[in-house]
Amino acid sequence: MRRILLGLMGAAVGTALMVGYKAMGAQATGPVATTGTQNHAGNAAAGTGPSGVPGQTGQPGPNTPGVSAAPGMTTGPGANPSAHPTTSGTTPPPKTTTTTTAPPQSRTITGNAVAASTAKSPTCGECSGNMQVRITVTGTHIDSITTIQQSNRPLSTASTLTAQALSAQSANVGNISGATYSSLAWKQSLQSAISQI
Amino acid sequence: MARGSWARRWLTIGFWSGLVAGVWIWWAGTPQGTVDGAGSALVEAGRVTGMVAGYFLLVQILLMTRVGWLDRRLSANDLLRLHRDLGAMLTILVLAHASLLIVGSAKFDGSSLFAETKTIVTGYPDMVSALVATAILVGVALLAIRAIRTIMPYELWYYLHMTSYLVLLLGYGHQFAGGRDLRQPGPARTFWAGLTLFVVACLIWGRVIAPIRLNLRHRLRVAEITHEGMDVFSVYVRGRDLHALQARAGQFFRWRFLTGDGWWQAHPFSLSAAPNGKWLRLTIKAVGVYTEQLKWIEPGTRVLVEGPSGVFTADRRVRHRALLIAGGSGIAPVRALLEDLPRGTIVIYRASSADDLIFREELDFLADQRDTEILYVVGSRTDPGPREAMTAKGLRRLVPDISRRDIYLCGPPGLMEATVEILNRLRVPKRQIHLDPF
């Protein structure tokens, strides 16, 4: 009996301490898109995209330059699309392409900004801000997904969903526990982008 | 000599490393500064408790797999107590995990608890089965409370308790489909799946493959039943290759006698003589319906065993000399153990009447041969003789060097508790005390 109580108390104290430690350095609430998260999402996309369609990525996309000004964007400098390898358009086309048909061009499409708070519930206690994604597609294949706006929490939502959506090649992926509405908003934004393909 | 303490140390290290690794998965998956409100704090706490609960569930099942490497290193008593304590903690942690995540997510989403519960159960994969797993776990835990357990027939209770394996099966999916840190391929997911696989492999090995191999090899059959005393009888069991059976005196097997109406029950009985390569012997007191039936078992009846288990063995000794204390039918493993212990051993045999004493001739013969002193303490608890002998003072007078001996104690719970208390008062170090409760 004593051991049970001690164990439970230890678990409670340990959990509180660890969660408390993770709360140190937390930012004030507000629509924040951290650079770190977006870079992470970008890296994941860069890693996944090219391997899906070898020899077709890196093509200069005609739409690439014009889409950086999404309305209401609050992103930091790290999210600037020009820093992103798959959307930069600076890579020269591979010389070995000898196919008679022209390879499909890669395009960049920006999804709608969806407020996390209105994705499902009219009130959202702590979440605020929008979710918005930009995708790079070749034909109908999604090469990369960049989150250009992200609701204030939980910050790992976008990177987790990105990896899943890329492997599923659709917006039909599971929600993240503890981030139901942010997940829904992110998926709605992705869906709106996919529907423009 | 001190094999036991090393085994325990390694198992303890293993347990804590697994726990740290489980929590580390959460720690590494939670970037600094992402906890910034009551809602996210609750959700993160829910994730931590989820990882710890998931780990406890695996350990909990591992403890009961009866794999040899565990059963031969921890005593049945330790395993049982650990299982009980971990089970209680596990249940509370699972409930904490679920409620923290529901309350935390509800705070995020600004919805009511009821609506959030519905969202979580319907919106996430495998959450319905996780809910069922929680219900089973809580049910099993409630039934395990002593007051409730004792009013149920043992067999019913046992089979209800067995449903806890479903908890692993039903709770498995949601950890990987819904768990933030486990859903993506990576070291965390591999580790967690590997841990689960390891436990399941131990379960299959300990509960299915090892017993089948053992019984196919030795093919045990009842050879003879002998009368030992009032309501006490011994069953001699013979089989093939018994010299290869790696059992030691003081250990027990779970015996399943393949009779028409008793084949579905397996019961633990200690060996009452050291294994000699020719036969195994177990000694049973007819106290219930099942043991009463065993009395009339036919020679030639097939016997299935699981084991050997237990650490009530001579190689656990940390001192040179030993004192064996037996109460009632607790004499069975003590009688076997006596064969493995050196000269100068003392046996205290506690019985409520002279009629209850068994193995008298064998004990006296062994005592004669091995320079062992056997002290029979006979009488009811209130008689002056036993009352005086079973006190700190009395024991010290009977065995002056008691604190420098290993104590092997086997008997009914009352005697065990009282004696351990006396031993503590006599300052016998804990590692010198070896228990085998029944």
Side-chain angles (χ1 to χ4, degrees), chain A residues 3 21-24 123-126 153 163-164 175-178 180-181, chain B residues 23 27 30 32-33 35-36 39 47 85 92 108-110 124 183-184:
Chain A
R3 189 155 61 165
Y21 183 81
K22 288 291 186 189
M24 288 199 309
T123 57
C124 179
E126 290 184 20
R153 76 189 68 214
Q164 290 188 15
N175 294 337
I176 306 287
S177 62
T180 315
Y181 295 129
Chain B
V23 173
W27 183 266
T30 311
Q32 188 67 40
V35 183
D36 56 351
R47 287 185 176 138
D85 292 356
I92 292 171
F108 265 146
D109 297 342
Y124 292 92
R183 56 202 286 153
Q184 281 172 291

PDB file of all heavy atoms in Angstrom, chain A residues 3 21-24 123-126 153 163-164 175-178 180-181, chain B residues 23 27 30 32-33 35-36 39 47 85 92 108-110 124 183-184:
ATOM      1  N   ARG A   3       3.884   1.421  -1.007  1.00  0.00           N
ATOM      2  CA  ARG A   3       4.602   1.523  -2.265  1.00  0.00           C
ATOM      3  C   ARG A   3       3.716   2.123  -3.359  1.00  0.00           C
ATOM      4  O   ARG A   3       4.166   2.900  -4.187  1.00  0.00           O
ATOM      5  CB  ARG A   3       5.104   0.135  -2.669  1.00  0.00           C
ATOM      6  CG  ARG A   3       6.030   0.163  -3.835  1.00  0.00           C
ATOM      7  CD  ARG A   3       6.942  -1.022  -3.854  1.00  0.00           C
ATOM      8  NE  ARG A   3       6.204  -2.282  -3.949  1.00  0.00           N
ATOM      9  CZ  ARG A   3       6.779  -3.439  -4.274  1.00  0.00           C
ATOM     10  NH1 ARG A   3       8.048  -3.485  -4.513  1.00  0.00           N
ATOM     11  NH2 ARG A   3       6.071  -4.535  -4.336  1.00  0.00           N
ATOM     12  N   TYR A  21       8.894  22.132 -16.604  1.00  0.00           N
ATOM     13  CA  TYR A  21      10.153  22.494 -17.255  1.00  0.00           C
ATOM     14  C   TYR A  21       9.937  22.830 -18.718  1.00  0.00           C
ATOM     15  O   TYR A  21      10.495  23.790 -19.246  1.00  0.00           O
ATOM     16  CB  TYR A  21      11.140  21.331 -17.129  1.00  0.00           C
ATOM     17  CG  TYR A  21      12.493  21.643 -17.719  1.00  0.00           C
ATOM     18  CD1 TYR A  21      13.429  22.381 -16.996  1.00  0.00           C
ATOM     19  CD2 TYR A  21      12.810  21.238 -19.012  1.00  0.00           C
ATOM     20  CE1 TYR A  21      14.656  22.688 -17.536  1.00  0.00           C
ATOM     21  CE2 TYR A  21      14.041  21.542 -19.565  1.00  0.00           C
ATOM     22  CZ  TYR A  21      14.960  22.271 -18.824  1.00  0.00           C
ATOM     23  OH  TYR A  21      16.176  22.574 -19.365  1.00  0.00           O
ATOM     24  N   LYS A  22       9.070  22.032 -19.365  1.00  0.00           N
ATOM     25  CA  LYS A  22       8.795  22.273 -20.783  1.00  0.00           C
ATOM     26  C   LYS A  22       8.039  23.587 -20.993  1.00  0.00           C
ATOM     27  O   LYS A  22       7.973  24.098 -22.100  1.00  0.00           O
ATOM     28  CB  LYS A  22       7.973  21.121 -21.357  1.00  0.00           C
ATOM     29  CG  LYS A  22       8.759  19.829 -21.517  1.00  0.00           C
ATOM     30  CD  LYS A  22       9.794  19.941 -22.611  1.00  0.00           C
ATOM     31  CE  LYS A  22      10.466  18.615 -22.865  1.00  0.00           C
ATOM     32  NZ  LYS A  22      11.614  18.745 -23.779  1.00  0.00           N
ATOM     33  N   ALA A  23       7.429  24.090 -19.920  1.00  0.00           N
ATOM     34  CA  ALA A  23       6.685  25.345 -20.054  1.00  0.00           C
ATOM     35  C   ALA A  23       7.604  26.553 -19.939  1.00  0.00           C
ATOM     36  O   ALA A  23       7.204  27.662 -20.260  1.00  0.00           O
ATOM     37  CB  ALA A  23       5.596  25.407 -18.979  1.00  0.00           C
ATOM     38  N   MET A  24       8.828  26.339 -19.495  1.00  0.00           N
ATOM     39  CA  MET A  24       9.737  27.471 -19.353  1.00  0.00           C
ATOM     40  C   MET A  24      10.078  28.021 -20.730  1.00  0.00           C
ATOM     41  O   MET A  24      10.347  27.267 -21.666  1.00  0.00           O
ATOM     42  CB  MET A  24      11.002  27.046 -18.616  1.00  0.00           C
ATOM     43  CG  MET A  24      10.719  26.818 -17.155  1.00  0.00           C
ATOM     44  SD  MET A  24      12.186  26.840 -16.110  1.00  0.00           S
ATOM     45  CE  MET A  24      13.259  25.729 -16.922  1.00  0.00           C
ATOM     46  N   THR A 123     -16.402  28.491 -30.573  1.00  0.00           N
ATOM     47  CA  THR A 123     -15.546  29.037 -29.525  1.00  0.00           C
ATOM     48  C   THR A 123     -14.325  28.156 -29.411  1.00  0.00           C
ATOM     49  O   THR A 123     -14.390  26.965 -29.570  1.00  0.00           O
ATOM     50  CB  THR A 123     -16.269  29.015 -28.172  1.00  0.00           C
ATOM     51  OG1 THR A 123     -16.656  27.670 -27.919  1.00  0.00           O
ATOM     52  CG2 THR A 123     -17.478  29.903 -28.165  1.00  0.00           C
ATOM     53  N   CYS A 124     -13.210  28.740 -29.181  1.00  0.00           N
ATOM     54  CA  CYS A 124     -12.014  27.934 -29.001  1.00  0.00           C
ATOM     55  C   CYS A 124     -11.250  28.532 -27.847  1.00  0.00           C
ATOM     56  O   CYS A 124     -10.722  29.623 -27.936  1.00  0.00           O
ATOM     57  CB  CYS A 124     -11.167  27.938 -30.257  1.00  0.00           C
ATOM     58  SG  CYS A 124      -9.677  26.981 -30.076  1.00  0.00           S
ATOM     59  N   GLY A 125     -11.263  27.805 -26.754  1.00  0.00           N
ATOM     60  CA  GLY A 125     -10.705  28.326 -25.508  1.00  0.00           C
ATOM     61  C   GLY A 125      -9.333  28.946 -25.657  1.00  0.00           C
ATOM     62  O   GLY A 125      -9.166  30.152 -25.521  1.00  0.00           O
ATOM     63  N   GLU A 126      -8.352  28.140 -25.978  1.00  0.00           N
ATOM     64  CA  GLU A 126      -6.998  28.654 -25.970  1.00  0.00           C
ATOM     65  C   GLU A 126      -6.400  28.793 -27.358  1.00  0.00           C
ATOM     66  O   GLU A 126      -5.394  29.457 -27.540  1.00  0.00           O
ATOM     67  CB  GLU A 126      -6.096  27.744 -25.136  1.00  0.00           C
ATOM     68  CG  GLU A 126      -6.403  27.834 -23.662  1.00  0.00           C
ATOM     69  CD  GLU A 126      -5.443  27.007 -22.846  1.00  0.00           C
ATOM     70  OE1 GLU A 126      -4.366  26.689 -23.360  1.00  0.00           O
ATOM     71  OE2 GLU A 126      -5.775  26.694 -21.706  1.00  0.00           O
ATOM     72  N   ARG A 153      -1.005  26.818 -31.284  1.00  0.00           N
ATOM     73  CA  ARG A 153      -0.637  25.582 -30.604  1.00  0.00           C
ATOM     74  C   ARG A 153      -1.347  24.408 -31.175  1.00  0.00           C
ATOM     75  O   ARG A 153      -2.296  24.607 -31.904  1.00  0.00           O
ATOM     76  CB  ARG A 153      -0.950  25.685 -29.120  1.00  0.00           C
ATOM     77  CG  ARG A 153      -2.448  25.529 -28.848  1.00  0.00           C
ATOM     78  CD  ARG A 153      -2.787  25.832 -27.471  1.00  0.00           C
ATOM     79  NE  ARG A 153      -2.618  27.223 -27.180  1.00  0.00           N
ATOM     80  CZ  ARG A 153      -2.215  27.671 -25.993  1.00  0.00           C
ATOM     81  NH1 ARG A 153      -1.898  26.817 -25.061  1.00  0.00           N
ATOM     82  NH2 ARG A 153      -2.131  28.934 -25.751  1.00  0.00           N
ATOM     83  N   ALA A 163       4.009  15.216 -42.555  1.00  0.00           N
ATOM     84  CA  ALA A 163       4.604  13.927 -42.897  1.00  0.00           C
ATOM     85  C   ALA A 163       3.526  12.925 -43.279  1.00  0.00           C
ATOM     86  O   ALA A 163       3.665  12.163 -44.239  1.00  0.00           O
ATOM     87  CB  ALA A 163       5.417  13.416 -41.716  1.00  0.00           C
ATOM     88  N   GLN A 164       2.429  12.963 -42.529  1.00  0.00           N
ATOM     89  CA  GLN A 164       1.370  11.995 -42.810  1.00  0.00           C
ATOM     90  C   GLN A 164       0.650  12.287 -44.111  1.00  0.00           C
ATOM     91  O   GLN A 164       0.339  11.389 -44.889  1.00  0.00           O
ATOM     92  CB  GLN A 164       0.359  11.984 -41.664  1.00  0.00           C
ATOM     93  CG  GLN A 164       0.954  11.389 -40.425  1.00  0.00           C
ATOM     94  CD  GLN A 164      -0.089  11.188 -39.365  1.00  0.00           C
ATOM     95  OE1 GLN A 164      -1.277  11.235 -39.634  1.00  0.00           O
ATOM     96  NE2 GLN A 164       0.350  10.961 -38.151  1.00  0.00           N
ATOM     97  N   ASN A 175      -6.357  13.045 -36.798  1.00  0.00           N
ATOM     98  CA  ASN A 175      -6.096  14.251 -36.026  1.00  0.00           C
ATOM     99  C   ASN A 175      -4.972  14.012 -35.037  1.00  0.00           C
ATOM    100  O   ASN A 175      -4.612  12.888 -34.719  1.00  0.00           O
ATOM    101  CB  ASN A 175      -7.348  14.657 -35.255  1.00  0.00           C
ATOM    102  CG  ASN A 175      -8.459  15.079 -36.189  1.00  0.00           C
ATOM    103  OD1 ASN A 175      -8.215  15.471 -37.314  1.00  0.00           O
ATOM    104  ND2 ASN A 175      -9.684  14.976 -35.711  1.00  0.00           N
ATOM    105  N   ILE A 176      -4.438  15.096 -34.523  1.00  0.00           N
ATOM    106  CA  ILE A 176      -3.416  15.012 -33.477  1.00  0.00           C
ATOM    107  C   ILE A 176      -4.109  15.187 -32.138  1.00  0.00           C
ATOM    108  O   ILE A 176      -4.872  16.140 -31.967  1.00  0.00           O
ATOM    109  CB  ILE A 176      -2.377  16.140 -33.651  1.00  0.00           C
ATOM    110  CG1 ILE A 176      -1.792  16.135 -35.057  1.00  0.00           C
ATOM    111  CG2 ILE A 176      -1.304  16.052 -32.596  1.00  0.00           C
ATOM    112  CD1 ILE A 176      -0.855  15.021 -35.317  1.00  0.00           C
ATOM    113  N   SER A 177      -3.807  14.293 -31.226  1.00  0.00           N
ATOM    114  CA  SER A 177      -4.459  14.404 -29.925  1.00  0.00           C
ATOM    115  C   SER A 177      -4.086  15.726 -29.271  1.00  0.00           C
ATOM    116  O   SER A 177      -2.941  16.160 -29.338  1.00  0.00           O
ATOM    117  CB  SER A 177      -4.033  13.239 -29.044  1.00  0.00           C
ATOM    118  OG  SER A 177      -2.643  13.274 -28.834  1.00  0.00           O
ATOM    119  N   GLY A 178      -5.041  16.362 -28.670  1.00  0.00           N
ATOM    120  CA  GLY A 178      -4.786  17.629 -28.006  1.00  0.00           C
ATOM    121  C   GLY A 178      -4.739  18.794 -28.963  1.00  0.00           C
ATOM    122  O   GLY A 178      -4.469  19.915 -28.568  1.00  0.00           O
ATOM    123  N   THR A 180      -7.174  18.975 -31.774  1.00  0.00           N
ATOM    124  CA  THR A 180      -8.221  18.559 -32.697  1.00  0.00           C
ATOM    125  C   THR A 180      -8.543  19.647 -33.704  1.00  0.00           C
ATOM    126  O   THR A 180      -8.561  19.424 -34.911  1.00  0.00           O
ATOM    127  CB  THR A 180      -9.485  18.214 -31.912  1.00  0.00           C
ATOM    128  OG1 THR A 180      -9.110  17.427 -30.798  1.00  0.00           O
ATOM    129  CG2 THR A 180     -10.460  17.461 -32.777  1.00  0.00           C
ATOM    130  N   TYR A 181      -8.801  20.867 -33.190  1.00  0.00           N
ATOM    131  CA  TYR A 181      -9.293  21.899 -34.093  1.00  0.00           C
ATOM    132  C   TYR A 181      -8.190  22.468 -34.960  1.00  0.00           C
ATOM    133  O   TYR A 181      -8.405  22.805 -36.123  1.00  0.00           O
ATOM    134  CB  TYR A 181     -10.019  22.979 -33.295  1.00  0.00           C
ATOM    135  CG  TYR A 181     -11.244  22.397 -32.649  1.00  0.00           C
ATOM    136  CD1 TYR A 181     -11.514  22.561 -31.312  1.00  0.00           C
ATOM    137  CD2 TYR A 181     -12.114  21.604 -33.412  1.00  0.00           C
ATOM    138  CE1 TYR A 181     -12.628  21.977 -30.727  1.00  0.00           C
ATOM    139  CE2 TYR A 181     -13.221  21.019 -32.839  1.00  0.00           C
ATOM    140  CZ  TYR A 181     -13.479  21.199 -31.500  1.00  0.00           C
ATOM    141  OH  TYR A 181     -14.565  20.610 -30.940  1.00  0.00           O
TER     142      TYR A 181
ATOM    143  N   VAL B  23       9.541   7.622 -20.893  1.00  0.00           N
ATOM    144  CA  VAL B  23       9.308   9.043 -20.626  1.00  0.00           C
ATOM    145  C   VAL B  23      10.147   9.898 -21.577  1.00  0.00           C
ATOM    146  O   VAL B  23       9.722  10.966 -22.014  1.00  0.00           O
ATOM    147  CB  VAL B  23       9.613   9.363 -19.147  1.00  0.00           C
ATOM    148  CG1 VAL B  23       9.536  10.849 -18.887  1.00  0.00           C
ATOM    149  CG2 VAL B  23       8.638   8.636 -18.242  1.00  0.00           C
ATOM    150  N   TRP B  27       9.600  13.297 -23.728  1.00  0.00           N
ATOM    151  CA  TRP B  27      10.475  14.446 -23.499  1.00  0.00           C
ATOM    152  C   TRP B  27      11.057  14.952 -24.827  1.00  0.00           C
ATOM    153  O   TRP B  27      11.056  16.142 -25.119  1.00  0.00           O
ATOM    154  CB  TRP B  27      11.595  14.026 -22.552  1.00  0.00           C
ATOM    155  CG  TRP B  27      12.534  15.125 -22.185  1.00  0.00           C
ATOM    156  CD1 TRP B  27      13.709  15.426 -22.795  1.00  0.00           C
ATOM    157  CD2 TRP B  27      12.376  16.068 -21.121  1.00  0.00           C
ATOM    158  NE1 TRP B  27      14.287  16.491 -22.183  1.00  0.00           N
ATOM    159  CE2 TRP B  27      13.505  16.920 -21.155  1.00  0.00           C
ATOM    160  CE3 TRP B  27      11.399  16.299 -20.157  1.00  0.00           C
ATOM    161  CZ2 TRP B  27      13.674  17.959 -20.243  1.00  0.00           C
ATOM    162  CZ3 TRP B  27      11.577  17.334 -19.258  1.00  0.00           C
ATOM    163  CH2 TRP B  27      12.696  18.151 -19.308  1.00  0.00           C
ATOM    164  N   THR B  30       8.562  16.784 -27.194  1.00  0.00           N
ATOM    165  CA  THR B  30       7.929  18.018 -26.735  1.00  0.00           C
ATOM    166  C   THR B  30       8.941  19.136 -26.755  1.00  0.00           C
ATOM    167  O   THR B  30       9.799  19.222 -25.881  1.00  0.00           O
ATOM    168  CB  THR B  30       7.387  17.838 -25.300  1.00  0.00           C
ATOM    169  OG1 THR B  30       6.632  16.642 -25.254  1.00  0.00           O
ATOM    170  CG2 THR B  30       6.521  19.006 -24.888  1.00  0.00           C
ATOM    171  N   GLN B  32      10.851  22.577 -26.225  1.00  0.00           N
ATOM    172  CA  GLN B  32      10.864  23.517 -25.095  1.00  0.00           C
ATOM    173  C   GLN B  32       9.934  24.690 -25.372  1.00  0.00           C
ATOM    174  O   GLN B  32       9.932  25.241 -26.467  1.00  0.00           O
ATOM    175  CB  GLN B  32      12.296  24.015 -24.906  1.00  0.00           C
ATOM    176  CG  GLN B  32      12.516  24.846 -23.673  1.00  0.00           C
ATOM    177  CD  GLN B  32      12.344  24.005 -22.418  1.00  0.00           C
ATOM    178  OE1 GLN B  32      12.770  22.885 -22.383  1.00  0.00           O
ATOM    179  NE2 GLN B  32      11.694  24.560 -21.420  1.00  0.00           N
ATOM    180  N   GLY B  33       9.141  25.055 -24.384  1.00  0.00           N
ATOM    181  CA  GLY B  33       8.302  26.235 -24.524  1.00  0.00           C
ATOM    182  C   GLY B  33       6.965  25.982 -25.199  1.00  0.00           C
ATOM    183  O   GLY B  33       6.211  26.909 -25.428  1.00  0.00           O
ATOM    184  N   VAL B  35       4.593  24.250 -23.896  1.00  0.00           N
ATOM    185  CA  VAL B  35       3.546  24.198 -22.868  1.00  0.00           C
ATOM    186  C   VAL B  35       3.305  25.623 -22.417  1.00  0.00           C
ATOM    187  O   VAL B  35       4.134  26.216 -21.743  1.00  0.00           O
ATOM    188  CB  VAL B  35       3.997  23.317 -21.684  1.00  0.00           C
ATOM    189  CG1 VAL B  35       2.892  23.218 -20.662  1.00  0.00           C
ATOM    190  CG2 VAL B  35       4.396  21.948 -22.172  1.00  0.00           C
ATOM    191  N   ASP B  36       2.185  26.199 -22.834  1.00  0.00           N
ATOM    192  CA  ASP B  36       1.996  27.611 -22.500  1.00  0.00           C
ATOM    193  C   ASP B  36       0.574  27.917 -22.100  1.00  0.00           C
ATOM    194  O   ASP B  36      -0.002  28.907 -22.483  1.00  0.00           O
ATOM    195  CB  ASP B  36       2.431  28.496 -23.669  1.00  0.00           C
ATOM    196  CG  ASP B  36       1.686  28.138 -24.937  1.00  0.00           C
ATOM    197  OD1 ASP B  36       0.981  27.113 -24.915  1.00  0.00           O
ATOM    198  OD2 ASP B  36       1.798  28.864 -25.925  1.00  0.00           O
ATOM    199  N   GLY B  39      -4.412  24.323 -20.679  1.00  0.00           N
ATOM    200  CA  GLY B  39      -4.819  23.247 -21.574  1.00  0.00           C
ATOM    201  C   GLY B  39      -3.649  22.414 -22.040  1.00  0.00           C
ATOM    202  O   GLY B  39      -3.654  21.189 -21.930  1.00  0.00           O
ATOM    203  N   ARG B  47      -0.074  12.965 -21.716  1.00  0.00           N
ATOM    204  CA  ARG B  47       0.813  12.164 -22.561  1.00  0.00           C
ATOM    205  C   ARG B  47       1.859  11.433 -21.716  1.00  0.00           C
ATOM    206  O   ARG B  47       2.157  10.273 -21.957  1.00  0.00           O
ATOM    207  CB  ARG B  47       1.518  13.047 -23.579  1.00  0.00           C
ATOM    208  CG  ARG B  47       0.577  13.490 -24.666  1.00  0.00           C
ATOM    209  CD  ARG B  47       1.300  14.274 -25.732  1.00  0.00           C
ATOM    210  NE  ARG B  47       0.367  14.583 -26.799  1.00  0.00           N
ATOM    211  CZ  ARG B  47       0.305  15.747 -27.411  1.00  0.00           C
ATOM    212  NH1 ARG B  47       1.137  16.706 -27.076  1.00  0.00           N
ATOM    213  NH2 ARG B  47      -0.573  15.939 -28.359  1.00  0.00           N
ATOM    214  N   ASP B  85       0.982  -4.123  -6.711  1.00  0.00           N
ATOM    215  CA  ASP B  85       1.255  -2.689  -6.597  1.00  0.00           C
ATOM    216  C   ASP B  85       1.256  -2.015  -7.967  1.00  0.00           C
ATOM    217  O   ASP B  85       0.675  -0.939  -8.148  1.00  0.00           O
ATOM    218  CB  ASP B  85       2.603  -2.465  -5.910  1.00  0.00           C
ATOM    219  CG  ASP B  85       2.547  -2.892  -4.451  1.00  0.00           C
ATOM    220  OD1 ASP B  85       1.451  -3.272  -4.006  1.00  0.00           O
ATOM    221  OD2 ASP B  85       3.581  -2.839  -3.773  1.00  0.00           O
ATOM    222  N   ILE B  92      -4.733   3.581 -11.916  1.00  0.00           N
ATOM    223  CA  ILE B  92      -4.897   5.002 -11.621  1.00  0.00           C
ATOM    224  C   ILE B  92      -4.229   5.853 -12.702  1.00  0.00           C
ATOM    225  O   ILE B  92      -4.759   6.886 -13.127  1.00  0.00           O
ATOM    226  CB  ILE B  92      -4.350   5.296 -10.218  1.00  0.00           C
ATOM    227  CG1 ILE B  92      -5.275   4.614  -9.201  1.00  0.00           C
ATOM    228  CG2 ILE B  92      -4.280   6.786  -9.952  1.00  0.00           C
ATOM    229  CD1 ILE B  92      -4.775   4.610  -7.802  1.00  0.00           C
ATOM    230  N   PHE B 108      -8.470  23.467 -24.634  1.00  0.00           N
ATOM    231  CA  PHE B 108      -8.013  23.944 -25.940  1.00  0.00           C
ATOM    232  C   PHE B 108      -9.166  24.376 -26.799  1.00  0.00           C
ATOM    233  O   PHE B 108      -9.207  25.437 -27.379  1.00  0.00           O
ATOM    234  CB  PHE B 108      -7.393  22.792 -26.730  1.00  0.00           C
ATOM    235  CG  PHE B 108      -5.922  22.692 -26.605  1.00  0.00           C
ATOM    236  CD1 PHE B 108      -5.331  21.450 -26.620  1.00  0.00           C
ATOM    237  CD2 PHE B 108      -5.128  23.803 -26.506  1.00  0.00           C
ATOM    238  CE1 PHE B 108      -3.982  21.312 -26.531  1.00  0.00           C
ATOM    239  CE2 PHE B 108      -3.766  23.676 -26.417  1.00  0.00           C
ATOM    240  CZ  PHE B 108      -3.196  22.428 -26.421  1.00  0.00           C
ATOM    241  N   ASP B 109     -10.086  23.412 -26.940  1.00  0.00           N
ATOM    242  CA  ASP B 109     -11.118  23.562 -27.946  1.00  0.00           C
ATOM    243  C   ASP B 109     -12.297  24.365 -27.426  1.00  0.00           C
ATOM    244  O   ASP B 109     -13.204  24.686 -28.183  1.00  0.00           O
ATOM    245  CB  ASP B 109     -11.591  22.182 -28.396  1.00  0.00           C
ATOM    246  CG  ASP B 109     -10.460  21.398 -29.046  1.00  0.00           C
ATOM    247  OD1 ASP B 109      -9.468  22.041 -29.432  1.00  0.00           O
ATOM    248  OD2 ASP B 109     -10.564  20.177 -29.154  1.00  0.00           O
ATOM    249  N   GLY B 110     -12.314  24.672 -26.150  1.00  0.00           N
ATOM    250  CA  GLY B 110     -13.400  25.432 -25.592  1.00  0.00           C
ATOM    251  C   GLY B 110     -14.712  24.691 -25.596  1.00  0.00           C
ATOM    252  O   GLY B 110     -15.778  25.290 -25.622  1.00  0.00           O
ATOM    253  N   TYR B 124     -10.807   9.772 -33.303  1.00  0.00           N
ATOM    254  CA  TYR B 124      -9.466   9.212 -33.386  1.00  0.00           C
ATOM    255  C   TYR B 124      -9.530   7.718 -33.665  1.00  0.00           C
ATOM    256  O   TYR B 124     -10.430   7.047 -33.200  1.00  0.00           O
ATOM    257  CB  TYR B 124      -8.706   9.451 -32.079  1.00  0.00           C
ATOM    258  CG  TYR B 124      -8.386  10.897 -31.855  1.00  0.00           C
ATOM    259  CD1 TYR B 124      -9.246  11.703 -31.137  1.00  0.00           C
ATOM    260  CD2 TYR B 124      -7.256  11.454 -32.411  1.00  0.00           C
ATOM    261  CE1 TYR B 124      -8.969  13.040 -30.954  1.00  0.00           C
ATOM    262  CE2 TYR B 124      -6.964  12.789 -32.231  1.00  0.00           C
ATOM    263  CZ  TYR B 124      -7.823  13.579 -31.503  1.00  0.00           C
ATOM    264  OH  TYR B 124      -7.547  14.890 -31.329  1.00  0.00           O
ATOM    265  N   ARG B 183       3.241   7.801 -33.588  1.00  0.00           N
ATOM    266  CA  ARG B 183       2.547   7.561 -34.851  1.00  0.00           C
ATOM    267  C   ARG B 183       3.476   7.599 -36.054  1.00  0.00           C
ATOM    268  O   ARG B 183       3.186   7.024 -37.080  1.00  0.00           O
ATOM    269  CB  ARG B 183       1.401   8.544 -35.029  1.00  0.00           C
ATOM    270  CG  ARG B 183       1.829   9.983 -34.957  1.00  0.00           C
ATOM    271  CD  ARG B 183       0.665  10.865 -34.596  1.00  0.00           C
ATOM    272  NE  ARG B 183      -0.253  11.024 -35.709  1.00  0.00           N
ATOM    273  CZ  ARG B 183      -1.540  11.288 -35.548  1.00  0.00           C
ATOM    274  NH1 ARG B 183      -2.058  11.346 -34.349  1.00  0.00           N
ATOM    275  NH2 ARG B 183      -2.320  11.478 -36.576  1.00  0.00           N
ATOM    276  N   GLN B 184       4.592   8.295 -35.916  1.00  0.00           N
ATOM    277  CA  GLN B 184       5.496   8.377 -37.058  1.00  0.00           C
ATOM    278  C   GLN B 184       6.612   7.357 -36.921  1.00  0.00           C
ATOM    279  O   GLN B 184       7.103   7.109 -35.814  1.00  0.00           O
ATOM    280  CB  GLN B 184       6.119   9.770 -37.121  1.00  0.00           C
ATOM    281  CG  GLN B 184       5.185  10.781 -37.718  1.00  0.00           C
ATOM    282  CD  GLN B 184       5.733  12.163 -37.583  1.00  0.00           C
ATOM    283  OE1 GLN B 184       5.812  12.702 -36.492  1.00  0.00           O
ATOM    284  NE2 GLN B 184       6.136  12.733 -38.692  1.00  0.00           N
TER     285      GLN B 184
END
